[in-house]
Short mmCIF file of all heavy atoms in Angstrom, two decimals:
data_model
loop_
_atom_site.label_atom_id
_atom_site.label_comp_id
_atom_site.label_asym_id
_atom_site.label_seq_id
_atom_site.Cartn_x
_atom_site.Cartn_y
_atom_site.Cartn_z
N PHE B 142 128.76 125.72 -175.20
CA PHE B 142 128.89 124.31 -175.59
C PHE B 142 127.74 123.92 -176.50
O PHE B 142 127.58 122.69 -176.71
CB PHE B 142 128.93 123.40 -174.37
CG PHE B 142 130.30 123.22 -173.78
CD1 PHE B 142 130.70 124.02 -172.73
CD2 PHE B 142 131.18 122.30 -174.28
CE1 PHE B 142 131.99 123.86 -172.20
CE2 PHE B 142 132.46 122.17 -173.78
CZ PHE B 142 132.84 122.96 -172.72
N ASP B 143 126.93 124.82 -176.92
CA ASP B 143 125.78 124.54 -177.77
C ASP B 143 124.77 123.64 -177.01
O ASP B 143 124.14 122.78 -177.66
CB ASP B 143 126.28 123.82 -179.04
CG ASP B 143 125.21 123.86 -180.15
OD1 ASP B 143 124.41 124.76 -180.11
OD2 ASP B 143 125.21 122.96 -180.98
N GLY B 144 124.57 123.92 -175.77
CA GLY B 144 123.66 123.10 -175.01
C GLY B 144 122.23 123.62 -175.07
O GLY B 144 121.30 122.97 -174.60
N LEU B 145 122.04 124.84 -175.61
CA LEU B 145 120.69 125.36 -175.68
C LEU B 145 120.16 125.09 -177.11
O LEU B 145 120.78 125.47 -178.08
CB LEU B 145 120.69 126.87 -175.40
CG LEU B 145 121.13 127.31 -174.02
CD1 LEU B 145 121.05 128.79 -173.87
CD2 LEU B 145 120.28 126.66 -172.93
N ALA B 146 118.96 124.48 -177.18
CA ALA B 146 118.42 124.19 -178.49
C ALA B 146 117.98 125.49 -179.16
O ALA B 146 118.09 125.61 -180.38
CB ALA B 146 117.27 123.21 -178.34
N THR B 147 117.44 126.44 -178.41
CA THR B 147 117.04 127.75 -178.95
C THR B 147 117.45 128.82 -177.94
O THR B 147 117.66 128.49 -176.76
CB THR B 147 115.54 127.87 -179.14
OG1 THR B 147 114.90 127.96 -177.83
CG2 THR B 147 114.95 126.72 -179.90
N PRO B 148 117.54 130.12 -178.34
CA PRO B 148 117.88 131.15 -177.42
C PRO B 148 116.88 131.30 -176.30
O PRO B 148 117.19 131.87 -175.23
CB PRO B 148 117.90 132.42 -178.31
CG PRO B 148 118.06 131.93 -179.70
CD PRO B 148 117.45 130.60 -179.75
N TRP B 149 115.70 130.77 -176.45
CA TRP B 149 114.71 130.84 -175.41
C TRP B 149 115.23 130.14 -174.12
O TRP B 149 114.70 130.35 -173.03
CB TRP B 149 113.40 130.20 -175.81
CG TRP B 149 112.65 130.99 -176.82
CD1 TRP B 149 112.65 130.77 -178.17
CD2 TRP B 149 111.87 132.16 -176.59
NE1 TRP B 149 111.89 131.74 -178.82
CE2 TRP B 149 111.40 132.62 -177.86
CE3 TRP B 149 111.51 132.85 -175.45
CZ2 TRP B 149 110.62 133.71 -178.01
CZ3 TRP B 149 110.71 133.97 -175.57
CH2 TRP B 149 110.26 134.39 -176.82
N GLY B 150 116.19 129.27 -174.31
CA GLY B 150 116.79 128.56 -173.19
C GLY B 150 117.35 129.50 -172.12
O GLY B 150 117.48 129.16 -170.95
N LEU B 151 117.65 130.80 -172.54
CA LEU B 151 118.16 131.76 -171.54
C LEU B 151 117.14 131.99 -170.50
O LEU B 151 117.46 132.41 -169.37
CB LEU B 151 118.56 133.03 -172.27
CG LEU B 151 119.75 132.89 -173.25
CD1 LEU B 151 119.99 134.20 -173.96
CD2 LEU B 151 120.98 132.47 -172.52
N PHE B 152 115.88 131.82 -170.77
CA PHE B 152 114.84 132.02 -169.75
C PHE B 152 114.85 130.92 -168.71
O PHE B 152 114.12 130.94 -167.72
CB PHE B 152 113.47 132.08 -170.35
CG PHE B 152 113.14 133.40 -171.00
CD1 PHE B 152 113.35 133.58 -172.38
CD2 PHE B 152 112.79 134.46 -170.23
CE1 PHE B 152 113.11 134.82 -172.98
CE2 PHE B 152 112.58 135.71 -170.84
CZ PHE B 152 112.77 135.90 -172.20
N GLY B 153 115.80 129.96 -168.89
CA GLY B 153 116.01 128.97 -167.84
C GLY B 153 116.53 129.66 -166.55
O GLY B 153 116.39 129.07 -165.47
N LEU B 154 117.11 130.84 -166.70
CA LEU B 154 117.66 131.48 -165.52
C LEU B 154 116.60 131.92 -164.49
O LEU B 154 116.70 131.56 -163.32
CB LEU B 154 118.48 132.74 -165.92
CG LEU B 154 119.30 133.39 -164.85
CD1 LEU B 154 120.31 132.46 -164.22
CD2 LEU B 154 119.98 134.65 -165.33
N PRO B 155 115.55 132.64 -164.92
CA PRO B 155 114.52 132.93 -163.91
C PRO B 155 113.83 131.66 -163.36
O PRO B 155 113.49 131.59 -162.19
CB PRO B 155 113.48 133.77 -164.68
CG PRO B 155 113.90 133.80 -166.08
CD PRO B 155 115.33 133.41 -166.16
N VAL B 156 113.70 130.58 -164.23
CA VAL B 156 113.13 129.34 -163.75
C VAL B 156 114.04 128.76 -162.65
O VAL B 156 113.58 128.33 -161.62
CB VAL B 156 113.00 128.36 -164.90
CG1 VAL B 156 112.55 127.01 -164.38
CG2 VAL B 156 111.96 128.84 -165.94
N ALA B 157 115.37 128.79 -162.92
CA ALA B 157 116.30 128.23 -161.96
C ALA B 157 116.19 129.00 -160.65
O ALA B 157 116.20 128.43 -159.56
CB ALA B 157 117.75 128.34 -162.48
N LEU B 158 116.07 130.33 -160.73
CA LEU B 158 115.87 131.15 -159.50
C LEU B 158 114.63 130.69 -158.73
O LEU B 158 114.67 130.53 -157.52
CB LEU B 158 115.77 132.63 -159.87
CG LEU B 158 115.54 133.55 -158.72
CD1 LEU B 158 116.68 133.53 -157.74
CD2 LEU B 158 115.29 134.97 -159.16
N LEU B 159 113.55 130.49 -159.46
CA LEU B 159 112.28 130.09 -158.82
C LEU B 159 112.44 128.70 -158.16
O LEU B 159 111.99 128.47 -157.05
CB LEU B 159 111.17 130.10 -159.83
CG LEU B 159 109.77 129.91 -159.28
CD1 LEU B 159 109.43 131.02 -158.30
CD2 LEU B 159 108.72 129.92 -160.42
N VAL B 160 113.10 127.78 -158.87
CA VAL B 160 113.34 126.44 -158.28
C VAL B 160 114.16 126.59 -156.98
O VAL B 160 113.86 125.97 -155.93
CB VAL B 160 114.14 125.52 -159.25
CG1 VAL B 160 114.60 124.27 -158.56
CG2 VAL B 160 113.27 125.22 -160.45
N GLY B 161 115.19 127.42 -157.07
CA GLY B 161 116.03 127.66 -155.88
C GLY B 161 115.21 128.16 -154.72
O GLY B 161 115.33 127.65 -153.60
N MET B 162 114.36 129.15 -154.93
CA MET B 162 113.55 129.69 -153.85
C MET B 162 112.52 128.70 -153.35
O MET B 162 112.28 128.57 -152.17
CB MET B 162 112.91 130.99 -154.30
CG MET B 162 113.81 132.11 -154.73
SD MET B 162 115.38 132.15 -153.84
CE MET B 162 114.87 132.75 -152.27
N ALA B 163 111.93 127.92 -154.28
CA ALA B 163 110.94 126.93 -153.91
C ALA B 163 111.58 125.87 -153.02
O ALA B 163 110.90 125.23 -152.21
CB ALA B 163 110.30 126.29 -155.14
N ALA B 164 112.88 125.61 -153.18
CA ALA B 164 113.56 124.63 -152.34
C ALA B 164 114.07 125.23 -151.09
O ALA B 164 114.03 124.66 -149.96
CB ALA B 164 114.71 124.00 -153.14
N SER B 165 114.58 126.50 -151.21
CA SER B 165 115.22 127.19 -150.06
C SER B 165 114.26 127.43 -148.91
O SER B 165 114.54 127.11 -147.76
CB SER B 165 115.87 128.49 -150.54
OG SER B 165 116.28 129.19 -149.39
N ALA B 166 113.09 127.98 -149.25
CA ALA B 166 112.17 128.42 -148.17
C ALA B 166 111.74 127.25 -147.27
O ALA B 166 111.84 127.36 -146.06
CB ALA B 166 110.95 129.10 -148.80
N PRO B 167 111.23 126.10 -147.84
CA PRO B 167 110.87 125.01 -146.94
C PRO B 167 112.06 124.48 -146.17
O PRO B 167 111.90 124.03 -144.98
CB PRO B 167 110.24 123.98 -147.85
CG PRO B 167 110.54 124.41 -149.23
CD PRO B 167 110.85 125.84 -149.23
N VAL B 168 113.22 124.41 -146.79
CA VAL B 168 114.37 123.84 -146.04
C VAL B 168 114.76 124.80 -144.91
O VAL B 168 115.09 124.33 -143.80
CB VAL B 168 115.56 123.60 -147.00
CG1 VAL B 168 116.82 123.27 -146.24
CG2 VAL B 168 115.25 122.52 -147.98
N CYS B 169 114.65 126.12 -145.15
CA CYS B 169 114.88 127.12 -144.06
C CYS B 169 113.87 126.81 -142.96
O CYS B 169 114.22 126.85 -141.74
CB CYS B 169 114.69 128.53 -144.53
SG CYS B 169 116.07 129.15 -145.46
N ALA B 170 112.63 126.54 -143.34
CA ALA B 170 111.58 126.28 -142.37
C ALA B 170 111.97 125.11 -141.48
O ALA B 170 111.81 125.08 -140.26
CB ALA B 170 110.23 126.06 -142.99
N VAL B 171 112.48 124.05 -142.10
CA VAL B 171 112.92 122.89 -141.35
C VAL B 171 114.08 123.24 -140.49
O VAL B 171 114.18 122.88 -139.28
CB VAL B 171 113.28 121.72 -142.34
CG1 VAL B 171 113.86 120.51 -141.55
CG2 VAL B 171 112.00 121.26 -143.05
N ALA B 172 115.07 123.94 -141.07
CA ALA B 172 116.33 124.27 -140.32
C ALA B 172 116.05 125.09 -139.06
O ALA B 172 116.74 124.94 -138.07
CB ALA B 172 117.25 125.02 -141.28
N THR B 173 114.98 125.92 -139.11
CA THR B 173 114.69 126.74 -137.89
C THR B 173 114.08 125.84 -136.82
O THR B 173 113.97 126.31 -135.71
CB THR B 173 113.70 127.89 -138.20
OG1 THR B 173 112.46 127.30 -138.69
CG2 THR B 173 114.23 128.87 -139.18
N ARG B 174 113.65 124.65 -137.20
CA ARG B 174 113.03 123.78 -136.17
C ARG B 174 113.91 122.65 -135.71
O ARG B 174 113.51 121.92 -134.81
CB ARG B 174 111.72 123.23 -136.76
CG ARG B 174 110.59 124.28 -136.85
CD ARG B 174 109.47 123.79 -137.73
NE ARG B 174 108.31 124.70 -137.66
CZ ARG B 174 108.22 125.81 -138.39
NH1 ARG B 174 109.20 126.18 -139.17
NH2 ARG B 174 107.14 126.59 -138.29
N LEU B 175 115.07 122.48 -136.33
CA LEU B 175 115.93 121.33 -135.97
C LEU B 175 116.79 121.66 -134.71
O LEU B 175 117.18 122.82 -134.52
CB LEU B 175 116.87 120.99 -137.13
CG LEU B 175 116.26 120.24 -138.29
CD1 LEU B 175 117.32 119.95 -139.33
CD2 LEU B 175 115.59 118.90 -137.83
N GLU B 176 117.04 120.63 -133.92
CA GLU B 176 117.88 120.83 -132.77
C GLU B 176 119.39 120.61 -133.10
O GLU B 176 120.27 121.19 -132.50
CB GLU B 176 117.48 119.89 -131.61
CG GLU B 176 116.33 120.42 -130.75
CD GLU B 176 116.57 121.87 -130.29
OE1 GLU B 176 117.72 122.20 -129.93
OE2 GLU B 176 115.62 122.65 -130.25
N ASN B 177 119.69 119.68 -134.00
CA ASN B 177 121.06 119.50 -134.43
C ASN B 177 121.16 119.15 -135.88
O ASN B 177 120.15 118.92 -136.56
CB ASN B 177 121.77 118.41 -133.55
CG ASN B 177 121.11 117.03 -133.77
OD1 ASN B 177 121.10 116.56 -134.91
ND2 ASN B 177 120.56 116.52 -132.73
N ASP B 178 122.40 119.12 -136.41
CA ASP B 178 122.55 119.09 -137.84
C ASP B 178 122.43 117.70 -138.47
O ASP B 178 122.63 117.56 -139.67
CB ASP B 178 123.91 119.71 -138.21
CG ASP B 178 125.10 118.95 -137.62
OD1 ASP B 178 124.87 118.25 -136.66
OD2 ASP B 178 126.21 119.06 -138.19
N SER B 179 122.17 116.68 -137.70
CA SER B 179 122.09 115.35 -138.34
C SER B 179 120.90 115.26 -139.26
O SER B 179 120.87 114.42 -140.18
CB SER B 179 122.07 114.23 -137.29
OG SER B 179 120.93 114.30 -136.51
#
Side-chain angles (χ1 to χ4, degrees):
Chain B
F142 275 97
D143 197 27
L145 298 181
T147 71
W149 289 99
L151 294 176
F152 283 97
L154 188 62
V156 172
L158 176 64
L159 190 58
V160 170
M162 299 326 288
S165 170
V168 172
C169 283
V171 173
T173 58
R174 287 166 172 82
L175 284 180
E176 276 308 323
N177 64 60
D178 62 338
S179 64

